[in-house]
Amino acid sequence: QCNNYEVINLGVMVPASKIFAAAREANADIIGLSGLITPSLEEMAHVASEMKREGFSVPLLIGGATTSKAHTAVKIAPNYDNGVVYVKDASRAVGVVSKLLGSERDNFLAEVVSDYERVRQQHAGRREEKQLLSLERARANATPVDWDNYEPPRPKKLGAQTFDNYPLAEIRPYIDWTPFLHVWQLKMSYPKILKDPEKGEAARKLLADAEAMLDKIIAGKWLTARAVVGLFPANRAGHDDIEIYKDESRKQRLALIHFLRQQHEKPPGKPNHCLADYIAPRGIDDYFGGFAVTAGLGIDKHLRRFEADHDDYSAIMLKALADRLAEAFAELMHARVRREFWGYATDEALDNDALIAESYKGIRPAPGYPACPDHLEKATLWRMLDAKRKAGITLTENFAMAPAASVSGFYLAHPDSRYFGLGRIGKDQVEDYAERIGLTLAETEKWLAPSLGYEPEPEAVTKKAANG
């Protein structure tokens, strides 16, 4: 209930037809969409255009981790004429809904329309100002790596390893509490927040509740943690791809991983990064890793129990803790990879603060995140690791992971490897990438929409057979 209005939650990955049917059946006053991964951004724009085509007149709320006011104004609002409103976080939803359902509605929506027009003009101006290099020039300015004086470390064990029913008590010390507090709109770093005069008391109470539930989760075995970690022979292929091999002979390809390169113009001496830069070219034996971990197996029955008791606080708490355990599990497994399985940092002795600060050698970038924003590469990762069978984690059609409390990504060991944001990319790179991954330009533009440095032309989206 929300101020005497009922909120109907349809779940995740719901098609537009089901949303519209439910809205008509309930005579809904407002429709809301939440985006958790970048492919959902394009789906939201589609839902908005379909609402216009279907003749809806109710406002559309937009929220979720991947959304923003700029994206709402530029990509979604132009598709629907009866009110599209971005809600930054759940704590503000009640106020927005109250305005939309009260006498302030028309004035409020007029202010939103005016604000979004200003945002669109600013966005257009920024896009025109940013200079993009040609893909050829960006590749010529690749990250300089001295391969002549570097010998890549050989993993102590090659192939994929499975870890089932990993002890949650061993994962717990790796939890980063700052993102957990952010879920509850306590936006300050841990443990600094504990001494804050305004937020400290609320944070201490929340963390006490979280620790108490963690005790129950571990003692009652509410959740099962499972992981698959793989280390494989690899070499850079071309400029921006990585070939993964079945064995040390490097004759049979297991997979081909595709990456993207920064194209914005850099100051002199600053390279245009691509993750493939950190893998040695053919002729030098190098290695590459991947992982998929979850701490969400078994969560559904406990969520149903809380929801049946109308205990929303405990349900949200459990989801948030499962997410933190999954991230902590990824941190723990990466530490074990560095010290044991790959073994290039056997003497590493970092505390949790140092791990959170990423004070270790190597990186673990994830598909869908700034350095490699294309979620499609998860499909290749899943095939490499046999992650569905070995870890019990599935991918939806838009490449969200299920259970939701799951984390996946790649391992790179080179000491110069670093995280970076891709930024905007040009049409020449998108065309090149489309050819490399075996999709049409329009389909590739859909998957890379948040990274495009240009406005794509309207085109029917058709999919070619993927090249695997």
Side-chain angles (χ1 to χ4, degrees):
Q1 301 291 323
C2 176
N3 285 10
N4 297 320
Y5 285 87
E6 183 180 3
V7 178
I8 302 174
N9 184 356
L10 298 182
V12 298
M13 307 306 297
V14 179
S17 58
K18 184 176 179 180
I19 296 172
F20 299 160
R24 290 191 174 102
E25 182 179 351
N27 194 26
D29 296 287
I30 295 174
I31 292 175
L33 304 175
S34 179
L36 296 178
I37 61 174
T38 49
S40 60
L41 297 177
E42 290 300 295
E43 191 63 25
M44 287 177 168
H46 169 71
V47 170
S49 62
E50 286 297 289
M51 284 178 65
K52 181 176 181 178
R53 190 177 67 83
E54 294 273 347
F56 277 88
S57 60
V58 300
L60 174 64
L61 298 187
I62 300 295
T66 61
T67 58
S68 67
K69 181 195 280 191
H71 183 270
T72 303
V74 174
K75 294 291 188 179
I76 303 176
N79 296 323
Y80 185 62
D81 302 325
N82 291 302
V84 178
V85 182
Y86 169 66
V87 184
K88 186 174 182 179
D89 57 61
S91 66
R92 306 186 187 190
V94 173
V96 171
V97 168
S98 297
K99 291 179 180 179
L100 290 173
L101 298 178
S103 59
E104 301 177 61
R105 169 176 167 152
D106 290 345
N107 288 337
F108 175 65
L109 286 178
E111 291 175 1
V112 170
V113 169
S114 177
D115 185 31
Y116 286 3
E117 178 58 32
R118 177 183 57 80
V119 171
R120 283 191 288 271
Q121 291 176 2
Q122 290 178 342
H123 176 81
R126 285 195 299 268
R127 178 162 283 185
E128 289 174 2
E129 290 172 6
K130 288 187 177 180
Q131 296 295 318
L132 295 180
L133 299 178
S134 68
L135 178 58
E136 182 180 7
R137 286 185 62 197
R139 284 172 169 168
N141 191 40
T143 312
V145 177
D146 184 5
W147 294 111
D148 293 334
N149 296 297
Y150 175 74
E151 183 178 350
R154 186 185 188 280
K156 297 183 182 300
K157 184 173 182 179
L158 291 172
Q161 301 182 66
T162 303
F163 302 84
D164 193 13
N165 203 21
Y166 205 99
L168 296 177
E170 293 183 21
I171 298 172
R172 184 176 187 168
Y174 290 82
I175 289 177
D176 178 2
W177 288 109
T178 296
F180 171 83
L181 293 168
H182 288 184
V183 170
W184 304 89
Q185 306 309 314
L186 293 171
K187 300 295 180 71
M188 188 178 288
S189 64
Y190 173 89
K192 181 180 178 181
I193 192 173
L194 300 180
K195 296 181 180 180
D196 183 77
E198 295 182 3
K199 301 177 181 179
E201 183 178 354
R204 290 191 296 272
K205 182 183 183 303
L206 182 65
L207 288 169
D209 290 347
E211 296 284 10
M213 181 173 279
L214 270 175
D215 290 339
K216 294 178 182 178
I217 290 171
I218 294 170
K221 298 181 179 179
W222 291 7
L223 303 175
T224 298
R226 191 177 296 164
V228 56
V229 170
L231 301 172
F232 306 93
N235 283 115
R236 188 170 71 246
H239 295 279
D240 304 330
D241 296 336
I242 297 173
E243 275 190 327
I244 313 299
Y245 306 107
K246 291 186 176 181
D247 54 45
E248 285 277 45
S249 71
R250 300 174 186 258
K251 293 180 179 179
Q252 286 186 287
R253 181 196 289 174
L254 177 65
L256 185 64
I257 305 288
H258 307 281
F259 289 123
L260 293 156
R261 183 173 297 281
Q262 292 177 329
Q263 273 187 274
H264 50 279
E265 193 165 6
K266 298 288 195 78
K270 300 292 184 180
N272 290 82
H273 296 288
C274 175
L275 290 173
D277 293 342
Y278 304 114
I279 298 294
R282 294 186 182 110
I284 301 173
D285 288 351
D286 206 350
Y287 303 88
F288 183 80
F291 71 93
V293 305
T294 183
L297 297 168
I299 194 173
D300 289 341
K301 67 177 181 180
H302 299 287
L303 291 176
R304 286 194 295 268
R305 172 164 57 89
F306 289 135
E307 289 163 0
D309 293 338
H310 303 288
D311 187 354
D312 294 339
Y313 178 72
S314 293
I316 295 171
M317 177 71 74
L318 178 56
K319 290 178 183 177
L321 287 174
D323 288 343
R324 286 299 92 212
L325 285 168
E327 293 285 354
F329 197 13
E331 192 75 80
L332 168 58
M333 295 310 298
H334 192 194
R336 292 195 66 185
V337 164
R338 295 190 302 271
R339 295 193 301 249
E340 303 172 44
F341 312 139
W342 205 326
Y344 62 83
T346 54
D347 58 349
E348 178 184 286
L350 302 176
D351 61 19
N352 201 38
D353 289 340
L355 293 175
I356 291 169
E358 299 166 356
S359 301
Y360 44 74
K361 294 179 182 178
I363 55 175
R364 59 170 192 276
Y369 282 77
C372 46
D374 185 7
H375 285 269
L376 288 170
E377 290 307 287
K378 284 182 189 169
T380 306
L381 178 62
W382 251 241
R383 290 194 295 271
M384 280 172 52
L385 300 175
D386 194 9
K388 179 179 179 180
R389 182 175 68 86
K390 292 181 177 179
I393 310 171
T394 59
L395 295 174
T396 69
E397 64 178 11
N398 282 325
F399 298 96
M401 292 174 284
S406 301
V407 181
S408 62
F410 307 118
Y411 293 133
L412 287 87
H414 195 282
D416 292 344
S417 61
R418 50 162 288 180
Y419 296 105
F420 57 87
L422 177 68
R424 301 290 178 179
I425 58 176
K427 189 172 184 179
D428 57 347
Q429 180 163 195
V430 178
E431 291 173 336
D432 178 88
Y433 191 72
E435 184 174 349
R436 284 154 52 202
I437 64 177
L439 298 183
T440 65
L441 175 61
E443 183 71 8
T444 305
E445 289 173 334
K446 171 191 170 186
W447 288 106
L448 299 180
S451 301
L452 299 182
Y454 63 97
E455 291 296 336
E457 298 177 7
E459 184 178 345
V461 177
T462 56
K463 187 172 183 179
K464 294 180 180 178
N467 63 7

